[in-house]
Amino acid sequence: MRAVVQRVCDAEVAVSGRVVGRCGRGLLVLVCAMQGDDEATAARLAAKIAKLRIFRDAGDRMNLSVRDIGGAALVVSQFTLAADLRGNRPGFSTAAAPETGKRLYEHFAAALAAEGVPVETGIFGADMKVGLTNDGPVTIWIDTATS
């Protein structure tokens, strides 16, 4: 799986002008299931993100996780993270099939919640508008195939 994790002051996702998910201080996680991913992959990624120490401690060091600060996560599916950019028009053939992608997206969100992180989500496959205030800015890219 691939994820872009952003440390945020706040974030929200809307579909057809209606907010369907939001969080305050915490993480915006854009996530994509790739071909060959499974539930175990989604659970490993969720555990890694729950423990990711990217929040500042009292010494102003990035040393705290989203759980440590009592933060939350907004999880949004984004198949475009699978983009193949060999040419000028991206291809997405390495993304998981939609039904698999949806299942793994939902499993990832549930696994992150099981790690003790309050989670809200977007709507898989919908045309979503995502707004956020990136804190830092801090943005981390994770690919389970390489990490």
Side-chain angles (χ1 to χ4, degrees):
M1 293 186 82
R2 290 184 179 165
V4 171
V5 180
Q6 295 182 297
R7 186 177 77 186
V8 298
C9 298
D10 56 74
E12 69 178 30
V13 61
V15 175
S16 299
R18 181 177 66 85
V19 173
V20 297
R22 66 169 36 115
C23 73
R25 185 173 182 219
L27 303 173
L28 170 63
V29 183
L30 306 173
V31 67
C32 175
M34 306 293 289
Q35 288 182 16
D37 288 339
D38 58 17
E39 283 78 2
T41 309
R44 277 193 317 275
L45 180 61
K48 183 175 195 77
I49 289 172
K51 296 172 194 159
L52 193 61
R53 298 183 334 180
I54 61 172
F55 292 89
R56 296 182 189 280
D57 64 13
D60 207 29
R61 292 190 178 139
M62 287 199 302
N63 202 28
L64 301 174
S65 71
V66 66
R67 292 187 304 195
D68 295 332
I69 65 149
L74 176 58
V75 176
V76 177
S77 62
Q78 188 167 349
F79 82 95
T80 59
L81 293 176
D84 173 356
L85 298 174
R86 284 183 234 163
N88 293 324
R89 183 173 182 262
F92 305 103
S93 62
T94 58
E99 59 278 356
T100 301
K102 181 177 183 187
R103 185 181 80 246
L104 293 178
Y105 164 70
E106 291 171 350
H107 188 80
F108 169 80
L112 188 57
E115 290 283 338
V117 179
V119 172
E120 292 203 14
T121 64
I123 298 175
F124 185 89
D127 181 16
M128 295 177 277
K129 306 299 181 216
V130 180
L132 69 138
T133 305
N134 192 315
D135 181 18
V138 174
T139 302
I140 309 287
W141 182 75
I142 303 171
D143 187 335
T144 58
T146 61
S147 39

